[in-house]
């Protein structure tokens, strides 16, 4: 079971995400936050509480990349799926540099979210099972969409 938190300021989008994520039996939404600063405080106090964060870019107080920059100072391992309407290259590239697992543009579909969750699960499984990194394992880590739900 993987614990997830949602960080989205739009209440309707947050409710939709929570409902969509409830369809994945291996995920449990633990908390929802509407501000990045609140989520950062929670994660500093409970660093092992979440394996996955669903994150928006546009939020009051700090944007998603600012959140990621602060988060990565104390938590390098949590996986991030950014779901946002931010569609410019600079934002996408900055999020990638902060180690996101996936980036989904709004409006999103359930099938696209399913692909992102499958990618997340593939990465988590690979990290847990790999002691010796081979080129094949690195390729899966960098391009898990080609290897969803690997059976190794």
């Amino acid at each position: 079971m993987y614990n997830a938190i949602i960080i989205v300021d739009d209440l309707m989008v947050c409710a939709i995400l929570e409902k969509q994520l409830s369809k994945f039996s291996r995920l449990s939404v633990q908390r929802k936050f509407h501000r990045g600063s609140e989520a950062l405080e929670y994660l500093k106090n409970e660093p092992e509480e979440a394996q996955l964060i669903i994150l928006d870019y546009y939020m009051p107080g700090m944007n998603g990349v600012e959140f990621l920059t602060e988060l990565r100072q104390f938590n390098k391992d949590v996986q991030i799926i950014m779901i946002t309407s931010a569609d410019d290259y600079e934002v996408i590239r900055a999020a990638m540099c902060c180690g996101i697992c996936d980036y989904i543009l709004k409006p999103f579909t359930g099938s696209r979210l399913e692909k992102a969750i499958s990618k997340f699960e593939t990465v988590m499984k690979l990290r847990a099972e790999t002691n010796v990194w081979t080129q094949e394992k690195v390729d899966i880590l960098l391009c898990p969409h080609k290897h969803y739900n690997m059976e190794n």
Side-chain angles (χ1 to χ4, degrees), residues 95-151:
M96 289 172 62
C97 288
C98 290
I100 62 168
C101 179
D102 209 341
Y103 195 101
I104 302 174
L105 290 173
K106 293 178 188 174
F108 65 94
T109 63
S111 64
R112 181 59 181 92
L113 181 60
E114 186 175 330
K115 286 179 183 178
I117 298 300
S118 183
K119 182 177 181 180
F120 158 75
E121 288 179 334
T122 298
V123 169
M124 294 301 287
K125 182 176 181 178
L126 181 66
R127 284 178 46 200
E129 295 178 354
T130 301
N131 294 320
V132 177
W133 289 90
T134 62
Q135 186 62 56
E136 180 184 15
K137 300 278 183 166
V138 172
D139 291 344
I140 294 169
L141 184 66
L142 293 175
C143 246
H145 64 278
K146 293 183 179 180
H147 309 276
Y148 287 141
N149 298 321
M150 65 179 199
E151 297 299 323

Side-chain angles (χ1 to χ4, degrees), residues 10-109:
D10 184 312
L11 296 176
M12 186 171 65
V13 172
C14 191
I16 290 168
L17 281 167
E18 187 173 24
K19 183 175 181 176
Q20 293 260 341
L21 292 172
S22 72
K23 296 176 184 175
F24 301 98
S25 61
R26 295 186 45 144
L27 275 183
S28 173
V29 175
Q30 298 297 305
R31 299 284 303 263
K32 298 170 287 196
F33 298 94
H34 305 298
R35 295 178 157 287
S37 58
E38 296 167 347
L40 280 172
E41 193 62 35
Y42 172 75
L43 291 165
K44 283 179 184 173
N45 294 322
E46 303 287 342
E48 303 298 318
E49 188 61 26
Q51 291 80 45
L52 175 64
I53 297 174
I54 306 296
L55 178 66
D56 196 356
Y57 177 77
Y58 296 111
M59 296 181 293
M62 72 171 38
N63 66 43
V65 171
E66 292 167 339
F67 169 85
L68 286 169
T69 301
E70 288 196 36
L71 175 72
R72 292 306 188 205
Q73 291 177 22
F74 66 89
N75 189 325
K76 308 269 190 244
D77 292 331
V78 67
Q79 298 295 306
I80 311 291
I81 297 173
M82 189 167 271
I83 299 179
T84 182
S85 59
D87 61 357
D88 60 277
Y89 175 77
E90 294 303 319
V91 171
I92 297 165
R93 184 72 185 138
M96 289 172 62
C97 288
C98 290
I100 62 168
C101 179
D102 209 341
Y103 195 101
I104 302 174
L105 290 173
K106 293 178 188 174
F108 65 94
T109 63

